[in-house]
Structures are given as C-alpha cells and as structure tokens.
Amino acid sequence: MTVVWGSLFAVSSAVLIAVLTLSVSLASHWLLALCVTALLIALKFLRPTGVLRAVFLSFALAIVARYVYWRTTSTIPPVSELQNFIPGVVLYAAEMYSVAVLLLSLFVVIDPLDRAPAPRLAPEKLPTVDVLVPSYNESADILAMTLASAKAMDYPAGRLTVYLLDDGATEERCAATDIGVRDRALARRAELTTLCEQLGVHYLSRANNAGAKAGNLNAALPRIHSDLVVVFDADHAPARDFLNETVGYFDSDPKLFLVQTPHFFLNPDPLERNLQFSDRVSSESDQFYGLVQRGMDKWNATFFCGSAAVLRRSALNDAGGFSGVSITEDCETALELHARGWNSIYVSKPMIAGLQPETYASFIRQRSRWAQGMTQIFMLKRPPFMRGLTLPQRLCYTSSQLFWLFPFSRLIFTVAPLLYLFFGLQIFNSSGYEFAAYTIIYVLVNALIQSMVFGRYRWPWMSELYEYVQSIYLIGAVTAAVISPRKAIFKVTTKNETVDKDRVSSLGWPFYGMVALLALGVAATVWRYFADPFGRDVTLVVGAWNLINLMLGALALGVVAERRNLRRAPRVALDRSGELIVGDVRYPVTIDNGSMSGVGLVMEAGAAPELQTGQTVGLSFHTTVAVPQGTLTLTVRNIQPEGATAIKVGCDARHEDVVGQRMLADLLFAESGRWVASTQRRRSPVGILRAASYVFYWTLRHGTRALGYLHLGPDRPRDGASAPHKPQ
C-alpha cells in the first residue's frame, strides 16, 4: 500500500504541477483554482486516508506550486527600483522559506508510525537500568516527587538504580569565596543528601558545572554500570509502567540506542493560562509529540528530547557520551548516533508528568535555548550533508532545525504591509485582483493542508500565534547563534513560579508598541483608500493583511498581560477513595484532586468530623506499591460546603518523611492512563471557520483586557487580586 500510495502521489503531483504552471488567463486561473479548492474542501470532509489522502495532497501541492511559479516569475520588483527590489526580495525569501518548511514537514509526517507495544521479557532477561535525574536549582519538594516516582517504577529489585545528579552543589560551589553561594550550596547538598538517603537514591555531584547538562550526565557515566540509561528531568515524574513500555524494544534490536516517549505537562504554558484555552485546545507540544515524532519514527529519525527516554549505555560509549557542542545536547547526541548507524524508536504513550514555564519571561528563556541550540547544530554539524545519515534522516533533522528560523519570516510578514501603507513601496508587483487570485487561494489551501494533516494536534491559527509571541525575542537569539554558533550559553528554565498579581510581563512592552504601529497601519489603509482611488484594490488587500497582523498582535497582548497565579503547584484531578484519620477515628473520603503541595478531599456532610484550619490529620489510601505505615500527614487549610450534602477540605501535605513523599508521588504520578486520557481529550479537530471565530473572540476579549493592564502600577493589583487564595 505504501508503494501504491507513493506512486500515485508522485504521478498525480507531476501531472498537476505541469498543468498548473502553464500560462493561462487570470479568469481561467480563478476558475481552476476555485474548482480545486472546492475539491479539497470536499475531500477534507471525508477525512481522507490512503489513496484519497494522496489525491488531496497532490491537488493541494499543485496549488502551492502554481503560487510559487507565479510569485517567482511575475511579482518581484525590477532591480532598477532598489527601494522596492530589496524589501521585495526579502519578502519573497521569507515566503519561499515558509514553503520549504511546509514541504519538509509534510515529508516528515506523511506516514506517521504507530508502534506495537514493547515485548514483555522474562525477569531474568531484563537488562539493568540506571536512572539519571540531573538537577541544578530545583527544590527538594519537586525532586522528592520525581525520585520517589522513579524508585516506584515496576521493575525487578536489584536491576534498577536511581541517581540524583546535583549540579547545584558542586565542589566548586561548596568551596566558593562568595559566602552566599557557598552557604546555599552546602545547605542544598545536606538537604538533598538526606532526601536521597531516605528514598534509597544515590546522590552524585561533581567538581564544577562545566558543560552544563551534558557535562553533568557525562560526569555520571563512569560512575554507573547498567546496560540502559534512563534520563528524567528534575520535574519529570514517571508513571509505574514507564520501563515496562520501553525496555523490551532493546532486546530485539542490538543497534537500538534510543526509546523516546512524550513529555506531558501538568500546568498550562503562559499562552494557555493567560488566554484561558488550556481545556479546549491541544497543547503546543502535542503537535511535536503526537505527530512529528511519530512521523520521524517512520524514517528512523526520532531524536532524544532530553528527558523521558531510555538509551543504550554501549551506544553512548560509542559516541563518547552525551554530545555537548551545542546547548541542545539531546538532539545533538541523537544526530551523532544516527550518523554512526544506530537506530531509534518512539513510543507515543505519555508516561511522565512534568512542569513547563509559568511566566512569559521563562517561556522565552526556554525557547531561546531551544532555538539557539538547534541553530548551533545546523551551523556546526550540517545535517543535510552529514556522513552516515540516510536521506530521510537528513530531511527530518533539517526540518526540525530550519523551523527555528521562523522569527525572521514572521517579523517580515508583520512589517511588509506597513511598507506599502506608510511609504507606498511596491514590494509585491501585482494588482489587488491578481493578489487575490493567487495569494488568497494559496493561503486558503495552505490552511486546508494544515487542518487536514495537523488538525487533531493543532488548531488553525495557533501556530501563527505561538510564532508571533516568540519572534521579537528569538530573532536575536537565532542571529547570535548564526554569527557565533559556539558561544551560546545554557540557561536553566525556571519552573514552579507564581505571579502575585495581574501584571504586564517585563518583556511585554514591545508588543504594545507593535500593536500601536499596526493600528496606525489601519488608519493608513483608510487614508490611502481615499487618497489613491486607482490603487484601491491593492490597498484593500494589503489593509486586510495588516488587519490580520493586528489581530495576532492583540492576542499577543493577552499573552504578555499575565494573570495572577498564586498556586504553588499544578492540580491533578483524581477520584480515589481513602480514609481521613482524625485522632484514632477514620472517616471515608474521596480524594478529589492533588498537587505536589497538598490534596483536596470531599466528605459527606453528615459523617464529617469537626475540623479546624491548621489542624494536623492523616490520610490513608491504597497505593500501587507497598509503603510502610501508609499514612500521609496533612494540615487542614480550608473547609467549605459542596452542595447540601458534602464538604470540601483543602489540605497541605508535609514532605518531611519518606512515607509521605512516596505516598504523594504514588497518588499523583503512578497511573499513566491519566496522562493518556488528558491528551486524547484535548485532541478534538476543529474547522478553519470555527477556529477563526474563536480567535476573533479571544482577540476582542484579551486585547481589551491587556489594554486595561496598562493602568496597573507595580504595587496596584486589579480588584480582587489580593483576595486570599486556596493552596489546593
């Protein structure tokens, strides 16, 4: 079927491209393009697979090819008009970059792979496993959950060893001349050493922080001895079945170096939280982990993502350890090993739960590191020409790295219409009628492709929004990596932050300036429409383009206008039975929700004890692993009625003892089915028009809210912002 599928795709594409690059009248083009677009819309409603999917993509790419042909041969300003030619060529290059990224991404995801479950091995055949948890500045509470969850993974005793790699208390930091640095490092080492002793985890540190995360991992390799190495970020707590679902693959392929799994996040990212669409729209990472990695798995090009992965120790030895030339050591390591002939596998089941940045500033810091690291790899390793890679692997790595050049094209697309509206520059040499006939159809077909291919994993318009809010700051990071690819510095992403009041992000002010500029573009559209009656068709088209940019800008304001968030840890919905222990009496309860800092309980009002805030109580429930005593110590924080027959009790959890740490980790992270269900629930495809209506509503709502934030001073929270919060 794959051969037939590919043959039909190639033949039909060749025929259609040949036809649609013929010189025809504008009216004929309109008719043909509208007919093809209508066919694509009809096919999309059929949710095509197999041959119909090939037909859909063939017709769609023919429209793209027709646009590229017209754009290349008919629209670039003459070189004699340098004021038009130079920005015109820049805009053309940005468009061709977008087309190239589209084609590469379609190749990557053309036939995403769904792996059969890992073979189950007899206990005596299971390899030994070392779990490495690198840490720099994460708190003991976060580390306790990850380490306890790693220790609780279902695996035979004696074959699993867990290590904490603490880079926050190196020998250099513990002996620093700066008293503050030294005292913090010594206190951290003492606290984490005690934590590791309680949990049965090995504590490792090193001389200094050389090489950042890659250096930390490499320093541990000579001190461990197992067959397989598992890496978890400090805030990535695994489910109990993680090893059962991954280790078996290594038995059947001696050249397998990697089994990568998705990263699932408990908390919304700053866009989801500030625009309040986290329960409705698929997460940004879902497109990568839900589709792109499966697509790369088809071509043996799945790469290491820094966490939630199992690696073969002998493969790491073959490559000299984790690669550290770039600041994205994960992708770089996978690239080196693929080039050496090693294989990779992707398992699409989410089996870890982690944290992502809470604030826009931390979000940008994280994305800047990714953008710089991937650009470094592209500049220094040159995957399109790297020896040892297959052609599909070259294309997959090139796609992943070229993607991070999007800040340039996104800013060019934002500024380009203003050059005409403000200065009358003719950087796109066509009439408004021609522009509509070619460009609007191309944009519509592009949206249909995105919706058909990525519909379950990414809403229309979401990619544009995510790119827009990153572009202003990432363009500098990418430029620096292009100019000096060896000088990028690894910066740790801050997690578990709080926002004490509604505020404009410290990085948000350029977006207000951009929106003001785009609003002036709307005024310029009106002025130019009446001042230049002969160019009204062009003015209307360019004005519409600017208006779309203004909508994205208004949404971006909603992102940088950060909402108050005092929750110390994200809440996980639960439905577990337990017993509340007050003195010597036990009361049945339902554990409604939980977090790394506490739990929420529901009790029948008539059977509930008299409770007071600040009171110490115990919670007992069935755990998936044996836990001595089996009691989680809680402190009552709030009590409130839940309807007429129940009460809700919010409690803080205490982490001082190993029992509480293990119980809370089991309660929150043991069951991967919770992460699978959450991911599937958010994968609801939505049509282009419906998505556009939501985006328009969000634009009005959050753009207005963001303008209201302009009145906030540093010590002037909005009404209600200082109300007491519930920790659970």
Side-chain angles (χ1 to χ4, degrees), residues 288-514:
F288 178 74
Y289 289 112
L291 183 62
V292 173
Q293 280 279 47
R294 288 172 48 225
M296 291 193 294
D297 194 21
K298 169 72 176 180
W299 309 113
N300 189 28
T302 289
F303 60 77
F304 177 37
C305 297
S307 180
V310 188
L311 300 102
R312 192 186 294 271
R313 173 66 182 274
S314 59
L316 290 172
N317 291 341
D318 181 42
F322 293 90
S323 300
V325 175
S326 74
I327 56 175
T328 46
E329 80 296 326
D330 41 17
C331 181
E332 183 187 341
T333 299
L335 177 64
E336 292 287 348
L337 286 167
H338 276 133
R340 291 171 177 266
W342 292 88
N343 303 322
S344 60
I345 278 178
Y346 181 67
V347 177
S348 61
K349 179 180 180 181
M351 292 175 288
I352 65 96
L355 301 175
Q356 54 188 338
E358 291 278 359
T359 66
Y360 175 73
S362 295
F363 175 80
I364 290 298
R365 187 180 304 116
Q366 179 191 68
R367 300 311 167 94
S368 295
R369 175 164 57 85
W370 293 355
Q372 284 193 310
M374 296 300 265
T375 304
Q376 283 181 294
I377 294 173
F378 188 79
M379 298 296 294
L380 298 173
K381 301 293 183 178
R382 300 178 182 176
F385 312 105
M386 192 170 183
R387 289 184 178 181
L389 297 179
T390 65
L391 178 60
Q393 287 174 330
R394 295 170 194 259
L395 294 175
C396 288
Y397 276 104
T398 300
S399 175
S400 296
Q401 287 150 20
L402 280 186
F403 163 79
W404 288 100
L405 297 180
F406 72 80
F408 298 99
S409 62
R410 180 56 53 190
L411 288 179
I412 290 168
F413 293 150
T414 301
V415 172
L418 298 176
L419 297 180
Y420 172 77
L421 296 174
F422 289 160
F423 309 111
L425 297 184
Q426 303 287 337
I427 67 174
F428 201 113
N429 192 14
S430 77
S431 68
Y433 189 59
E434 285 179 307
F435 187 96
Y438 285 92
T439 305
I440 292 178
I441 293 296
Y442 161 70
V443 170
L444 176 58
V445 168
N446 198 323
L448 288 170
I449 294 173
Q450 300 279 352
S451 180
M452 195 274 287
V453 176
F454 302 106
R456 289 186 60 214
Y457 306 93
R458 172 55 57 86
W459 273 35
W461 312 105
M462 286 297 105
S463 293
E464 288 76 9
L465 175 61
Y466 272 88
E467 290 179 6
Y468 190 97
V469 300
Q470 297 177 72
S471 294
I472 289 179
Y473 290 102
L474 263 59
I475 197 167
V478 174
T479 301
V482 170
I483 296 173
S484 302
R486 296 185 183 276
K487 291 186 178 180
I489 299 174
F490 189 102
K491 296 180 180 179
V492 177
T493 303
T494 305
K495 305 288 180 64
N496 212 29
E497 297 174 282
T498 59
V499 179
D500 60 355
K501 61 184 177 68
D502 291 350
R503 69 185 188 188
V504 176
S505 169
S506 59
L507 300 182
W509 299 109
F511 290 97
Y512 284 88
M514 182 62 75

Side-chain angles (χ1 to χ4, degrees), residues 246-261:
T246 54
V247 166
Y249 292 109
F250 288 90
D251 183 65
S252 56
D253 182 3
K255 292 296 290 182
L256 179 65
F257 83 90
L258 170 71
V259 176
Q260 178 66 55
T261 72

